[in-house]
Amino acid sequence: LIIAMTNFLKRSISMYSESYFSLWRCLFGLYLLYYSLAILPYLTTLYSNKGIYLSYEFLPFFPNLLMLSDSVYVVYALGALSVVLSLCILLGWRRNWCALLLWFVLTTFYGRNLFTENPALPFIGLLLLLLVIIPSGERWSLDRRRKKDSDVWVMPHLAYFGALFVLGASYSLSGFDKLQALGWQRGDAMAHLYTLPIAYEHFLGELLRAQPMWLVKAETWAVAYSMLLSFPLLLIPQTRKYMWLILTFMFCFALVVFDLTEVALGMLLFHFFLFDPEWISTKENRKPIVLWYDTNCKLCTAYVNEIKLQDESAITTFKSIYDYPDGKHDETPNTIIVEQDGKILRQSEAVIAHLKALGGVLGFLAMFMSLVPRAVRDSIYDFVGRHRYRWFGKIDTSSQEKK
């Protein structure tokens, strides 16, 4: 039964995108860096022997370094170390070891003062432990230089489904706990939340506090029962993305309505770790596309090589722009050309059309790029195009032909 369940879960997720994980790691590193810098001014008060709270009873079995010495200098040394380790995770340098050390440092602080607890910290700790077992050397990391080109990066199923299991179980337990309280049973709990001091005093907050009680009850019960049903609905492949979307929306809503920035951002990063790029894929609608590019340009060639790794369906045919049939391009063409369904696209429009055709995270990126006015996009594109050889280098085609 265990083997059958494992195989079922493995089939319920597509290949986890290496590029998406790299992007997520950078965002997570930024969050860790922000958190580490934010607590620096308060280290003496919160964690040193000159602070307001002196106890190690919260995590009695954890080998807390501050039990040996909790002087101001030791506390600030650990704080500075957390900043450095966060930066290393952001850059992807020795990520596995840095994640383990940062988990130990943050747990040391966490066990020193229970008043610094927030609901997102245990999930951040779990993400750090998952970074220990996830293979390093992903794209856009300094560890990539130590990997061979033939090495294939794969997300361990244990990491993904372990996080999914913990998130679903946590939400379901929280939903069950909420429904034991009278406020959630009556349906007026959200009305009380909107009046808390942490609720922002802006237009949306005033609108939420003025809404009719029947709508407040609908919101309250929707939140409680959505959380209660999270565990089964996150495990079922057909309902996973919809449940993920509901839970993610809840924390986006909390980020806008309540002053819970650290908590909401931490939980959203946990949610984004579980995001499957195939949820926004357009594989069924993908049509063949021809991309003409400057084969002498190192930047263009790097883009093409990266896209080849993402284009699993091989819908793109790559050709040299010097062979383009209209013969209108000089020796230094400053644009790529995309042909699809008889349409000819150039500059930023060509890039956006190509990313949309590939779908997934790249299609999501194309959607945001299209929000920028075309004149602005093309101006940036032309500026980079004019300086691409100077900034990124030029491929020596003559030496390649001799070889």
Side-chain angles (χ1 to χ4, degrees), residues 181-233:
L182 289 177
W184 291 91
Q185 293 176 8
R186 294 193 306 262
D188 58 0
M190 293 300 294
H192 295 294
L193 290 177
Y194 295 146
T195 59
L196 290 176
I198 59 173
Y200 287 122
E201 296 289 339
H202 50 42
F203 171 75
L204 181 58
E206 295 296 332
L207 187 65
L208 291 171
R209 285 185 282 273
Q211 61 185 328
M213 184 52 65
W214 66 267
L215 190 54
V216 173
K217 289 184 177 181
E219 293 171 5
T220 302
W221 291 329
V223 170
Y225 284 102
S226 295
M227 298 181 76
L228 181 66
L229 297 173
S230 295
F231 184 68
L233 294 182

Side-chain angles (χ1 to χ4, degrees), residues 1-13 157 161:
L1 179 62
I2 294 175
I3 294 174
M5 187 64 180
T6 303
N7 291 334
F8 166 75
L9 290 175
K10 286 182 178 180
R11 290 195 300 270
S12 68
I13 181 176
H157 286 95
F161 289 107

Side-chain angles (χ1 to χ4, degrees), residues 2 4 56 88 147 156 166 168 202 226 233 326 345 372 374 392:
I2 294 175
Y56 299 95
C88 290
K147 295 291 183 179
V166 170
H202 50 42
S226 295
L233 294 182
D326 70 357
L345 300 170
V372 181
R374 182 174 180 178
F392 303 99

Side-chain angles (χ1 to χ4, degrees), residues 22 25 89-93 95 136-145:
S22 301
R25 189 208 73 239
I89 293 174
L90 170 62
L91 299 176
W93 185 79
R95 173 184 34 91
S136 61
E138 66 275 6
R139 295 191 193 102
W140 315 329
S141 68
L142 296 180
D143 287 340
R144 184 72 171 182
R145 298 175 298 176

Side-chain angles (χ1 to χ4, degrees), residues 13-300:
I13 181 176
S14 59
M15 180 67 73
Y16 197 97
S17 170
E18 180 181 357
S19 296
Y20 177 75
F21 174 76
S22 301
L23 175 62
W24 176 87
R25 189 208 73 239
C26 293
L27 295 175
F28 187 53
L30 283 174
Y31 173 83
L32 294 172
L33 187 61
Y34 158 76
Y35 180 83
S36 299
L37 290 172
I39 64 174
L40 278 181
Y42 311 102
L43 291 178
T44 300
T45 304
L46 294 176
Y47 306 116
S48 76
N49 53 15
K50 296 183 179 180
I52 59 175
Y53 185 77
L54 302 175
S55 176
Y56 299 95
E57 299 175 356
F58 189 44
L59 295 175
F61 301 107
F62 179 77
N64 200 311
L65 289 177
L66 295 179
M67 294 180 67
L68 301 176
S69 175
D70 54 2
S71 67
V72 174
Y73 299 106
V74 172
V75 168
Y76 269 99
L78 290 175
L81 180 60
S82 69
V83 173
V84 173
L85 293 173
S86 300
L87 185 61
C88 290
I89 293 174
L90 170 62
L91 299 176
W93 185 79
R94 306 290 180 180
R95 173 184 34 91
N96 307 78
W97 285 106
C98 290
L100 181 61
L101 288 174
L102 184 57
W103 171 84
F104 186 85
V105 171
L106 294 183
T107 307
T108 296
F109 287 153
Y110 185 52
R112 179 70 167 90
N113 189 341
L114 62 86
F115 293 111
T116 61
E117 178 186 8
N118 75 61
L121 271 181
F123 293 93
I124 297 301
L126 177 58
L127 287 175
L128 286 171
L129 292 179
L130 292 178
L131 286 182
V132 176
I133 66 173
I134 296 173
S136 61
E138 66 275 6
R139 295 191 193 102
W140 315 329
S141 68
L142 296 180
D143 287 340
R144 184 72 171 182
R145 298 175 298 176
R146 300 186 292 111
K147 295 291 183 179
K148 299 178 181 178
D149 293 336
S150 57
D151 292 343
V152 178
W153 184 92
V154 178
M155 168 66 73
H157 286 95
L158 174 63
Y160 183 89
F161 289 107
L164 190 71
F165 185 94
V166 170
L167 186 70
S170 301
Y171 276 132
S172 289
L173 287 173
S174 178
F176 178 80
D177 185 62
K178 283 178 171 57
L179 289 173
Q180 308 308 305
L182 289 177
W184 291 91
Q185 293 176 8
R186 294 193 306 262
D188 58 0
M190 293 300 294
H192 295 294
L193 290 177
Y194 295 146
T195 59
L196 290 176
I198 59 173
Y200 287 122
E201 296 289 339
H202 50 42
F203 171 75
L204 181 58
E206 295 296 332
L207 187 65
L208 291 171
R209 285 185 282 273
Q211 61 185 328
M213 184 52 65
W214 66 267
L215 190 54
V216 173
K217 289 184 177 181
E219 293 171 5
T220 302
W221 291 329
V223 170
Y225 284 102
S226 295
M227 298 181 76
L228 181 66
L229 297 173
S230 295
F231 184 68
L233 294 182
L234 281 174
L235 291 184
I236 299 173
Q238 292 79 5
T239 58
R240 182 179 303 151
K241 66 178 179 181
Y242 302 108
M243 193 69 248
W244 180 92
L245 187 63
I246 292 172
L247 296 173
T248 302
F249 172 79
M250 285 168 52
F251 271 98
C252 289
F253 179 81
L255 187 63
V256 175
V257 176
F258 302 105
D259 186 12
L260 296 170
T261 304
E262 291 179 3
V263 176
L265 288 179
M267 292 306 302
L268 284 174
L269 281 166
F270 199 97
H271 287 195
F272 290 145
F273 176 78
L274 297 172
F275 176 76
D276 184 359
E278 289 299 315
W279 290 344
I280 55 175
S281 176
T282 56
K283 275 187 176 180
E284 64 279 3
N285 298 321
R286 292 180 182 177
K287 298 179 181 178
I289 191 169
V290 180
L291 187 145
W292 305 79
Y293 72 101
D294 182 4
T295 50
N296 294 338
C297 170
K298 286 189 176 181
L299 174 63
C300 306

